[in-house]
Amino acid sequence: MNTLRALLYSLAFPLFNTASLHADELLAGVAKIDITDRTGPVNDPCFAKALVLKSGGTTAVLITVDAVAIGEIGRIGNGFLANVRGELERDLGILPASVVINASHCHGIIRADTLQLVVQVVKAAAKNLVPVKAGAGVGSERRISENRRLLMKDGTQVDMRRAYSMPRDEDVESVGPIDPQIGLLRLDRADGTTLAVVYQFACHPIMNPPSKGNSADYPGFASKVIEEALGGGALAFFIQGCGGDINPVRYKEVTRPADAEPLGTMLGAAVLAGVRPIETKDSAVLKVSNEVIAVPRAADYEKRIASIEEEQQQLLAALKPTNINFKAFLPLLLQHQLWPDFPSHHSQSYLHDQTLEKKAIAQLDADNRVLVENYLANIQIMERLTRLNTNLALLKKHLAETKAAAKPTLDVEVCGLRVGDFKLVTFPGEITVQVGLNIKTAAQDANAHVSGYTNGYIYYTPTVEQRNNTGYAQEDCDVLVAPEWQKIFETKALEVLQQLAR
């Protein structure tokens, strides 16, 4: 969506549409459609799902898509959001600002005609509105996620990615937090059967590697568990939370095949455990809001790029000479680790040489030990260079984008949605977990939740501390925003949640 159109939406649609009162009947319709690109291997399907809500004069549309992002990267183009809204406004009279689209951030490949499929699924949901009762609650799941940022003993931070190796164990001080909370909304038909479950959780859906085939990853399996358990055509809607620095647990393991299904099964079971005790009510508040705010673009790319390039030169200069290659290095390393006292020969040879006052074997060991240590040091430099090279490329990419931008700020949508007691505030960035935790703590409302990956995509949006990290991680290099974005968004998000609660 271009800036002018976004501003027009904001002006045309008041910050909060409060036409819905407690006495109004809440109507809801749901539908889903397969959007999987099946031209290559498929492990499990990707879906687009639509939840259309209506109460009095208020209509809200929640769309969830098993895709990496709403625009910018992946198959969904930058015009997707505006085009979907435009078609829904033209054909159904739904205000553009009433449409909220969240990407799960799975890395599955979707069909080229996903835009048309999404419009189709919303229309299907809108045709089947039925009276519903709404109830909100929370669940918890601590077993399937871990923070991917490592706090190092030297005060820097690094991250865990498949693009580069882990740091040395002895250099790691601690790890960052996770958010185990699952935000829950249950919508029941008049006969008491469940029409829909909305569940919000923070974790990257990247357990299944691309080599496994197309996949919606753990959210796809979680939704399948929920839908099969509830039956009756109930649909489960996964909303990605503040998962910018949250990985599936143990996703870096190389000792067993990666598999998202067990993680999804555990999440699905946790959702069901949290959903079943929820009491739904006959009437429910429906509110939707949309506001465009400006966040500052990063202005420190050149400084960070220069710092990395300087470190690269220092590392290159630190490479040590060695006359062995990997073929020679590996057996020498094993020998010196397994038999440090007698790595080259049996003890008999050492004792025999001692009687002859010979030192040839001992000297060989000393020389080889230096070669092994130099080779190990070079490997560590190579690993550090790999990390720097990867993140340097991200900084250079975004420097070019920022130079081409017309202004020093980004216009982004902050959306609010309330259904009954369930409240959600959204943002288009990959919000890191501490930001979400900060907002929820300030809101002091168990049913208030924060989601990134919604109505656009502006790459990672880390905390100020993460953003200024000199260890260089994806979350602080694959960014468009300046550190000041955090306070701006946290303030606005809290304001939106407080308005939703009134």
Side-chain angles (χ1 to χ4, degrees), residues 161-452:
R161 294 180 62 196
R162 289 193 174 113
Y164 36 67
S165 60
M166 296 287 288
R168 298 190 311 169
D169 293 334
E170 57 266 36
D171 295 334
V172 178
E173 180 71 29
S174 61
V175 298
I178 65 169
D179 184 357
Q181 188 184 68
I182 309 169
L184 297 171
L185 168 67
R186 194 177 94 205
L187 298 174
D188 290 345
R189 302 179 184 90
D191 63 4
T193 60
T194 299
L195 175 72
V197 168
V198 176
Y199 65 109
Q200 192 252 21
F201 187 70
C203 181
H204 262 69
I206 53 173
M207 176 55 83
N208 284 349
S211 60
K212 195 159 187 174
N214 219 338
S215 175
D217 214 84
Y218 76 83
F221 293 107
S223 293
K224 182 180 178 182
V225 167
I226 298 163
E227 291 171 359
E228 289 180 352
L230 294 175
L235 289 191
F237 292 79
F238 172 80
I239 301 178
Q240 183 59 257
C242 297
D245 53 356
I246 305 298
N247 277 348
V249 69
R250 313 284 191 267
Y251 103 117
K252 288 274 286 183
E253 283 189 352
V254 294
T255 56
R256 58 181 175 178
D259 190 358
E261 186 168 4
L263 303 184
T265 300
M266 286 189 282
L267 179 59
V271 169
L272 289 169
V275 160
R276 285 182 170 130
I278 292 175
E279 294 184 7
T280 56
K281 301 176 183 178
D282 287 323
S283 60
V285 174
L286 176 62
K287 293 184 179 182
V288 61
S289 71
N290 183 297
E291 184 175 0
V292 176
I293 66 170
V295 294
R297 287 181 178 270
D300 59 350
Y301 290 118
E302 289 93 342
K303 178 182 177 181
R304 290 171 69 80
I305 288 170
S307 178
I308 288 182
E309 290 178 338
E310 180 181 357
E311 186 173 351
Q312 285 176 322
Q313 293 304 312
Q314 293 172 351
L315 290 170
L316 288 171
L319 288 170
K320 299 179 181 296
T322 176
N323 73 336
I324 59 174
N325 62 8
F326 186 78
K327 182 178 180 179
F329 160 76
L330 188 57
L332 284 176
L333 174 67
L334 292 174
Q335 289 167 8
H336 281 263
Q337 290 293 322
L338 293 173
W339 308 288
D341 295 327
F342 311 107
S344 299
H345 293 269
H346 295 294
S347 59
Q348 178 270 340
S349 296
Y350 288 84
L351 295 172
H352 175 72
D353 279 8
Q354 286 178 14
T355 64
L356 301 178
E357 298 184 348
K358 292 182 178 181
K359 299 181 179 180
I361 298 178
Q363 187 60 53
L364 174 66
D365 290 342
D367 292 343
N368 284 342
R369 192 170 292 111
V370 170
L371 295 177
V372 168
E373 290 172 353
N374 286 353
Y375 202 94
L376 281 172
N378 288 349
I379 289 175
Q380 291 165 16
I381 290 173
M382 177 271 291
E383 291 175 347
R384 179 63 181 161
L385 284 170
T386 301
R387 183 181 299 276
L388 290 175
N389 290 347
T390 301
N391 289 311
L392 178 62
L394 295 172
L395 288 170
K396 288 183 174 180
K397 169 190 172 184
H398 293 306
L399 171 62
E401 293 173 355
T402 299
K403 284 184 175 180
K407 57 192 233 180
T409 57
L410 284 163
D411 292 326
V412 295
E413 288 189 18
V414 176
C415 300
L417 176 66
R418 177 178 175 183
V419 186
D421 292 329
F422 178 87
K423 307 167 198 76
L424 180 71
V425 62
T426 73
F427 190 75
E430 293 201 45
I431 308 172
T432 54
V433 71
Q434 190 61 55
V435 176
L437 293 172
N438 291 347
I439 295 167
K440 292 198 290 186
T441 298
Q444 297 184 340
D445 183 345
N447 294 312
H449 310 288
V450 188
S451 281

Side-chain angles (χ1 to χ4, degrees), residues 2 55 58 82 90-91 97 101 105 137 140 145 160 178 266-267 287 313 326 331 359 370 418 437 492:
N2 60 43
S55 180
T58 300
R90 182 193 67 206
D91 297 343
I101 310 180
H105 198 55
S140 181
S145 60
M160 295 185 288
I178 65 169
M266 286 189 282
L267 179 59
K287 293 184 179 182
Q313 293 304 312
F326 186 78
K359 299 181 179 180
V370 170
R418 177 178 175 183
L437 293 172
K492 177 56 65 177

Side-chain angles (χ1 to χ4, degrees), residues 293-301 402 405 407-412 427 458 460-462 464 467 479-490:
I293 66 170
V295 294
R297 287 181 178 270
D300 59 350
Y301 290 118
T402 299
K407 57 192 233 180
T409 57
L410 284 163
D411 292 326
V412 295
F427 190 75
I458 59 166
Y460 285 89
T461 45
V464 172
R467 177 62 179 73
V479 296
L480 293 175
V481 296
E484 293 79 13
W485 88 274
Q486 182 184 356
K487 183 177 180 181
I488 293 170
F489 173 65
E490 287 186 1

